[in-house]
Amino acid sequence: MATDRDHDLVLLGATGFTGGLTAEYLARHAPTDLRWALAGRSLVKLERVRARLVEIHPMYTDLPLLVADISDPAQAETLAASTRVLATTVGPYLEYGEPVVAACAKAGTDYLDITGEPEFMDRMYVAHHQTAVESGARIVHACGFDSIPHDLGVYFTVTQLPDDVPITVRGVVRAGGTPSGGTFASTLHAMSRPKQMREAMVARRQAEPRPQGRSSRAVAGKPHRDRLLGYWLLPLPTCDPMVVARSGAALPAYGPKFRYSHFAGTKTLRYAGMGVAGVAAIGAAAQVGPLRRFLASKVPQGEGPDEARRAKSWFTVDFVAEAGDQTVRTRVSGGDPGYTETAKMLAEAAMCLASDDNPPLAGVLTPAAAMGDALLPRLQAAGIRFETRD
Ligand SMILES: NC(=O)c1ccc[n+]([C@@H]2O[C@H](COP(=O)([O-])OP(=O)(O)OC[C@H]3O[C@@H](n4cnc5c(N)ncnc54)[C@H](OP(=O)(O)O)[C@@H]3O)[C@@H](O)[C@H]2O)c1
């Protein structure tokens, strides 16, 4: 890991909604000897964020502010070379993200983001994995609600099972919350590109080696009623099952044959039908440029749910793992998934890469593969519950 840098950790996107919450979390929880800084494209806006942090503690009066517009690759490179770890909340990642990944891979700088855009992750693997392996950089996507509760939840679950038998896991997500402008824009953008998403997935599949003598796959489940959990399950084609399957490919603890299915859970069939109709309507609208822009204008970028609304938001993810004659049930749960908990997850993951002992790996990695053992106790200490159930 690079040691000759001005900063241990730079938070890029600090002037945005999720970046601001992440900055506040770091201000409350970063160790005093962590040399961290805020980055963004507007000094005036960065100064406003720092003023909020000074209200948390006066020692942040001198917190370094780094001005960088990452649409200019040279500025992204200067920023990446200034720090050991860079965490970015600048999205949509498909639109803005690549210069930062490229700069970190080249400079040997550890990188984290909160993307949930599968096409972005696949394209970054194909374009920058090998460079990162050579420079020693760890490129870790999906360090927010996409996909930490699912990835670390499955990690927590399978490590309670033997590693010499096939393991099948289903994960069932339930959540209540409101999206920010940035999330809404990223979702619409990603949904408008099904063809490019498929192409990126195929390109990655051809480039990425498979584990020797083991297999790990995400399996699209079918809608059904889960008798054990008491929910109606709908297959949830987010980036999460792919991230979990990649952890399964990277980690022998997932056994010789690992299969994962990912679902949304609802209490009644009526809610399930409403969920399918809602997603289908947004997906159809995302294909039509003017409709997409109209929808995006309804939730402006930079804005998101206020504190009172976030306080009412919640998530649970239930896991059922079957290995031979053994079944293990677990649950990961917490508060507002999109923002309060995402800020916590990103900040804890960034501090974990900056400060903890992690496996000596490099390249594009999942959260569980890059830092599972060290991140799990951090998240538990930060109030995200990982429980084993009867
Ligand atoms: N995985 C998850 O669970 C999860 C949860 C929350 C958010 N997200 C994702 O995180 C991303 C951010 O969401 P958000 O609601 O926080 O968005 P946001 O409020 O719109 O923030 C975007 C940030 O990007 C900055 N930015 C844009 N272009 C830039 C450039 N060229 N150079 C430097 N900075 C630039 C903006 O700076 P200015 O202030 O100067 O405009 C702002 O700080 C989205 O992609 C969203 O989908 C994921």
Side-chain angles (χ1 to χ4, degrees):
M1 181 191 289
T3 50
D4 55 339
R5 305 282 170 98
D6 291 345
H7 311 291
D8 295 318
L9 168 60
V10 164
L11 173 63
L12 170 66
T15 59
F17 185 70
T18 319
L21 294 175
T22 309
E24 287 171 16
Y25 186 90
L26 284 170
R28 292 197 171 91
H29 299 280
T32 47
D33 61 351
L34 188 79
R35 300 168 308 145
W36 62 287
L38 304 179
R41 61 184 164 177
S42 156
L43 181 60
V44 175
K45 283 191 182 180
L46 284 170
E47 282 170 342
R48 267 189 237 136
V49 178
R50 183 169 64 183
R52 280 179 11 225
L53 306 190
V54 170
E55 282 174 29
I56 293 169
H57 199 289
M59 73 179 163
Y60 294 118
T61 314
D62 297 323
L63 189 72
L65 305 180
L66 312 174
V67 177
D69 185 329
I70 50 122
S71 57
D72 172 3
Q75 292 188 39
E77 286 191 10
T78 305
L79 189 67
S82 75
T83 183
R84 293 169 44 229
V85 177
L86 190 152
T88 172
T89 59
V90 178
Y93 289 88
L94 271 168
E95 233 169 290
Y96 304 121
E98 179 154 15
V100 187
V101 176
C104 289
K106 191 170 152 194
T109 300
D110 292 329
Y111 164 101
L112 307 93
D113 66 30
I114 51 169
T115 186
E117 297 156 66
E119 182 191 342
F120 176 70
M121 294 186 224
D122 290 342
R123 285 181 28 189
M124 294 309 98
Y125 180 90
V126 172
H128 305 292
H129 173 72
Q130 195 51 41
T131 310
V133 168
E134 283 158 22
S135 72
R138 293 171 286 187
I139 307 292
V140 191
H141 300 297
C143 292
F145 185 62
D146 297 301
S147 297
I148 289 221
H150 322 291
D151 193 29
L152 272 277
V154 173
Y155 183 73
F156 171 74
T157 308
V158 298
T159 47
Q160 300 180 37
L161 289 165
D163 64 6
D164 57 354
V165 290
I167 300 178
T168 302
V169 181
R170 61 186 182 275
V172 180
V173 185
R174 304 186 71 238
T178 311
S180 70
T183 299
F184 203 46
S186 299
T187 306
L188 288 171
H189 190 63
M191 280 180 153
S192 72
R193 301 166 57 88
K195 181 168 167 275
Q196 293 93 327
M197 191 163 93
R198 269 193 308 277
E199 285 167 1
M201 196 201 303
V202 170
R204 179 177 189 157
R205 205 175 284 152
Q206 285 165 356
E208 190 166 24
R210 293 190 177 76
Q212 290 290 312
R214 306 173 45 241
S215 73
S216 174
R217 268 185 224 132
V219 179
K222 292 199 176 77
H224 66 282
R225 182 162 168 78
D226 190 313
R227 284 175 200 282
L228 186 64
L229 296 173
Y231 300 130
W232 285 93
L233 305 194
L234 294 172
L236 197 55
T238 56
C239 65
D240 305 312
M242 296 311 300
V243 173
V244 168
R246 283 178 201 131
S247 292
L251 299 167
Y254 288 57
K257 184 176 170 191
F258 174 74
R259 298 291 179 266
Y260 179 69
S261 303
H262 194 60
F263 298 94
T266 65
K267 281 198 174 143
T268 67
L269 192 55
R270 189 166 150 259
Y271 279 133
M274 282 159 55
V276 171
V279 172
I282 294 176
Q287 310 309 310
V288 185
L291 261 182
R292 186 170 65 243
R293 285 187 285 281
F294 170 75
L295 278 180
S297 71
K298 295 281 140 199
V299 197
Q301 282 189 251
E303 291 180 18
D306 63 21
E307 203 170 337
R309 197 168 270 267
R310 294 201 308 275
K312 288 187 197 143
S313 303
W314 58 276
F315 77 89
T316 62
V317 195
D318 285 291
F319 298 98
V320 180
E322 283 153 353
D325 54 4
Q326 249 181 289
T327 300
V328 169
R329 268 184 73 180
T330 62
R331 172 176 280 187
V332 181
S333 60
D336 170 48
Y339 307 97
T340 308
E341 300 297 42
T342 284
K344 182 187 284 179
M345 293 179 223
L346 176 63
E348 288 294 345
M351 292 190 284
C352 183
L353 280 194
S355 309
D356 297 351
D357 267 342
N358 288 298
L361 300 171
V364 175
L365 305 164
T366 63
M371 55 186 137
D373 282 337
L375 184 57
L376 190 52
R378 272 184 175 275
L379 296 175
Q380 288 169 316
I384 295 182
R385 291 177 294 281
F386 289 75
E387 311 157 62
T388 303
R389 297 164 77 85
D390 297 331

